[in-house]
Amino acid sequence: MLQVVEQIAEFRRAALDAAAIVAVTDRNGRITSVNQKFCDLSGYSEDELIGSTHAIVNSGLHDRAFFRELYRTILSDNIWRGVICNRAKCGRLYWVDTTIVPNGDASGFTAIRFDVTPLKEAEQQLWNQANLDPLTNLPNRRRLIELLAAKVARAEPFAVAILDLDHFKDINDTAGHDIGDRLLTEVAADLRAAIDADEVIGRLGGDEFALILSDHRDERALSRKLARLVQTVRAHPLSETFGWRINASIGAARYPAHGTSESDLLKNADIALYVAKDGGRGRAHVFRKADREAAERRASLHIAVQQALSDDRLFVVYQPILSFDAPGIPAFEALLRWQGTDGVVERPSAFASVFEDERTAAEIGLFVLSRVIEQIERWNAAEHEIDFVSVNATLGDFRDPAFVNAIADAVGTGRIRPQQLCIEITESMVMDRSAKMIRRAATRLRELGVKLAFDDFGTGFASLSHLRDLPLDIVKIDRSFVARMGNLGPDQVIVRSLIDLAHGLGIRVIAEGVERNDQLEALSSYGCDQIQGYLIAKPMRDTEATRFVVPSLNPRALWAA
């Protein structure tokens, strides 16, 4: 009978050794026995383990309180159960589901473990997917809000900042998304190194990062720190890749002065970021109460314009453009107007902030374009001859392929003749950051046969090389030069020089803001091709513009009106 019991006991030990990781310790925690599975998983030999404590496989992941509770339990002759992370001899971490049982003879303890590393790694992978940004490995928006909520719960002063890379879309457009991703990754690492160990940086999405910064009761100290973060981005070596300096704008809000909830803090930091961008970019700004009031006005204006778009209270007016060589065939510039619910008609300058949202700008641009195409169709159907109608474009129009596609569709289906449409761009749009994108769109327009005009020429910062590199048909001299033309004055010299320069490159010239006969006469003597301004006519609704193109009316007579 005793032999049978011993056989059963031996079988149980063998079965346990085959299925589990087993170690026996004395009351002082020194290992007295291990099975082969323990050696295989830990990487230590039996000789290395016997006589040691489990400190030999301590991962450092659990704090002292964890082990105090474990030993308190087993020294009270109770069974302890839990999951422990250990470190193998090679440095690899592994996880074991552990049961520690006090031996019945009080000689020590038997630990029975099962390797659950694959399960823990799968759990960690799922956690990472839910909480970390896959590109930068920083906390994502969801995790940031959790960390921010925990910080708010501690009710200790801190600051929240939102940092945005200036003109990041242009980097993607010019250098490609691979370079853009590399820039985001490297800037993330630079910013992480620039903040304290107890501070947090995460990625909200796109090129926006959020930071949770430690106690900043002193706003001046916070401002200095924000300025250092801006400088960190500015000093990034990838600047040389693009030929212009990479900048960042940053806005910050302080707890509890600027908000006592995570949503309010993020909202106010975002408002401060807008102020930083609006102030010229590449700078930092700490939230002020007046900033929120201004943001609320902008939001209300944005909603009102969107509603006006739905209610058909946005409309297009047309200002005539007349040629010296063909005064009976007018061209027009299409201009946007907004009629408020109070009946007051506003120019785009009154709601310029709306165009900062490129999606809205693109939506409005498509609206204007569609109205112009419809108007040209009506004039063609009535056999009214026009030169062209020009439409002012924004960067938002060119970022959205729908704008150029709509032009291609109107030309391709024969709704309009390509030369009847002119797209105006400004010098500020053709800065280095967006030049490649504009050039691609301009090339496609030229292939379609559509005219391209350079608006406000002479007032921006674009180099003269753009006159050579872009397929331009027209340059428009800004009204500020025309208004100050006087006998032998500097503006007169500038206007004459601009006309000669454009003509030398085979480009026609339109002078804007012509209001006096002496301006008309001077421009005619300089060889200017076309003029636009109140001397001819103010912008007019489509019905008035139609009367303007009726052949029986002599438009030249209006020049002296």
Side-chain angles (χ1 to χ4, degrees):
M1 184 66 179
L2 180 61
Q3 184 178 4
V4 173
V5 172
E6 289 176 347
Q7 288 176 342
I8 292 173
E10 181 61 29
F11 173 78
R12 287 175 174 170
R13 282 194 296 272
L16 185 62
D17 279 344
I21 303 154
V22 181
V24 179
T25 68
D26 60 20
R27 297 287 292 186
N28 295 321
R30 296 199 172 275
I31 299 171
T32 59
S33 174
V34 294
N35 68 350
Q36 188 59 42
K37 275 189 171 296
F38 194 126
C39 296
D40 292 343
L41 188 59
S42 70
Y44 290 99
S45 67
E46 184 177 3
D47 290 342
E48 289 175 302
L49 292 169
I50 299 298
S52 299
T53 68
H54 278 84
I56 195 173
V57 291
N58 188 350
S59 66
L61 199 66
H62 305 289
D63 58 19
R64 291 182 179 180
F66 176 87
F67 290 109
R68 278 201 301 268
E69 175 60 21
L70 185 158
Y71 284 114
R72 186 191 66 78
T73 300
I74 61 177
L75 289 173
S76 301
D77 289 331
N78 293 312
I79 296 173
W80 183 89
R81 295 182 177 87
V83 177
I84 300 177
C85 179
N86 287 334
R87 187 179 299 277
K89 187 176 183 179
C90 66
R92 180 181 66 87
L93 296 177
Y94 64 92
W95 296 82
V96 284
D97 190 346
T98 303
T99 301
I100 302 177
V101 181
N103 296 337
D105 59 3
S107 61
F109 310 95
T110 298
I112 303 167
R113 301 179 176 90
F114 295 93
D115 183 12
V116 292
T117 302
L119 176 62
K120 294 298 291 186
E121 288 177 344
E123 289 177 354
Q124 185 64 45
Q125 185 176 8
L126 289 173
W127 188 93
N128 289 346
Q129 290 173 351
N131 293 279
L132 298 182
D133 171 58
L135 178 65
T136 62
N137 209 37
L138 295 175
N140 60 16
R141 178 183 289 272
R142 176 183 177 277
R143 181 59 178 159
L144 271 167
I145 291 175
E146 286 181 351
L147 294 170
L148 189 52
K151 192 78 171 176
V152 167
R154 286 196 287 273
E156 298 170 352
F158 67 97
V160 178
I162 298 179
L163 181 145
D164 179 282
L165 297 182
D166 295 334
H167 304 294
F168 181 71
K169 288 181 181 178
D170 298 326
I171 293 173
N172 275 336
D173 288 338
T174 55
H177 289 271
D178 289 344
I179 292 293
D181 286 350
R182 177 185 163 194
L183 177 62
L184 289 173
T185 302
E186 295 184 10
V187 165
D190 291 345
L191 292 171
R192 173 66 269 181
I195 61 177
D196 297 337
D198 62 340
E199 297 177 324
V200 175
I201 177 174
R203 185 184 177 202
L204 292 175
D207 61 323
E208 272 196 344
F209 298 89
L211 301 98
I212 303 175
L213 304 174
S214 56
D215 183 0
H216 281 291
R217 293 183 178 89
D218 184 350
E219 187 171 308
R220 286 178 297 179
L222 173 60
S223 296
R224 288 194 295 270
K225 182 157 200 167
L226 297 178
R228 288 197 298 272
L229 293 173
V230 169
Q231 182 58 37
T232 295
V233 175
R234 187 175 295 154
H236 194 278
L238 267 183
S239 289
E240 299 174 3
T241 303
F242 312 115
W244 71 82
R245 189 178 298 280
I246 297 167
N247 270 321
S249 300
I250 187 167
R254 294 182 298 128
Y255 174 91
H258 303 143
T260 55
S261 70
E262 51 271 28
S263 60
D264 280 347
L265 288 166
L266 283 171
K267 185 183 298 181
N268 290 339
D270 196 48
I271 289 171
L273 173 62
Y274 176 92
V275 176
K277 288 182 174 182
D278 194 49
R281 300 180 184 264
R283 59 192 294 269
H285 179 76
V286 179
F287 177 79
R288 298 281 187 275
K289 182 180 178 181
D291 298 338
R292 175 182 282 278
E293 295 168 354
E296 289 170 352
R297 288 193 297 272
R298 287 194 304 273
S300 297
L301 183 61
H302 190 278
I303 293 170
V305 170
Q306 285 283 356
Q307 189 62 46
L309 195 58
S310 301
D311 296 345
D312 205 26
R313 285 186 288 106
L314 287 182
F315 61 94
V316 176
V317 294
Y318 299 87
Q319 184 168 32
I321 302 169
L322 295 185
S323 301
F324 284 100
D325 55 359
I329 304 174
F332 294 92
E333 179 180 358
L335 300 166
L336 180 66
R337 295 293 185 264
W338 169 30
Q339 185 170 17
T341 53
D342 58 0
V344 175
V345 175
E346 300 283 4
R347 299 182 180 189
S349 58
F351 50 101
S353 63
V354 170
F355 293 90
E356 293 169 5
D357 177 4
E358 290 190 350
R359 183 174 299 179
T360 300
E363 186 178 359
I364 293 174
L366 272 178
F367 165 81
V368 173
L369 179 66
S370 65
R371 292 294 188 272
V372 167
I373 290 172
E374 291 166 2
Q375 184 59 55
I376 295 174
E377 282 187 285
R378 287 193 290 270
W379 283 332
N380 287 344
E383 298 184 351
H384 293 324
E385 190 174 3
I386 63 165
D387 189 354
F388 61 83
V389 180
S390 66
V391 175
N392 293 283
T394 66
L395 282 174
D397 294 321
F398 289 126
R399 290 194 197 282
D400 186 345
F403 185 81
V404 177
N405 287 344
I407 296 172
D409 179 72
V411 171
T413 56
R415 295 173 62 195
I416 64 171
R417 296 187 294 277
Q419 66 272 21
Q420 292 181 306
L421 187 65
C422 177
I423 303 302
E424 295 190 18
I425 61 174
T426 61
E427 289 189 81
S428 61
M429 291 170 60
V430 200
M431 299 296 285
D432 290 338
R433 300 179 180 90
S434 53
K436 186 179 292 186
M437 177 184 65
I438 298 294
R439 196 172 291 117
R440 286 197 301 265
T443 300
R444 188 178 178 198
L445 291 172
R446 167 55 65 87
E447 291 169 351
L448 291 170
V450 174
K451 292 182 172 69
L452 189 71
F454 219 2
D455 194 16
D456 299 336
F457 184 61
T459 61
F461 303 98
S463 70
L464 293 176
S465 63
H466 291 119
L467 293 181
R468 177 195 62 203
D469 297 339
L470 288 169
L472 296 170
D473 300 280
I474 298 166
V475 294
K476 300 185 74 175
I477 298 176
D478 186 69
R479 66 183 63 248
S480 62
F481 294 110
V482 175
R484 294 193 297 265
M485 281 199 313
N487 292 330
L488 302 179
D491 290 280
Q492 187 180 69
V493 175
I494 291 172
V495 170
R496 181 183 295 173
S497 300
L498 292 176
I499 292 172
D500 290 342
L501 173 63
H503 285 170
L505 295 170
I507 299 171
R508 290 177 64 84
V509 179
I510 298 175
E512 298 181 297
V514 179
E515 299 182 357
R516 304 191 312 267
N517 281 312
D518 64 309
Q519 295 169 341
L520 169 66
E521 292 168 1
L523 290 165
S524 176
S525 68
Y526 300 158
C528 185
D529 300 290
Q530 294 172 287
I531 62 168
Q532 174 182 355
Y534 284 5
L535 184 65
I536 300 170
K538 294 182 179 181
M540 55 188 70
R541 298 293 290 259
D542 52 357
T543 53
E544 297 173 89
T546 298
R547 288 195 294 270
F548 195 88
V549 299
V550 172
S552 60
L553 176 65
N554 180 4
R556 181 181 289 275
L558 294 178
W559 292 11

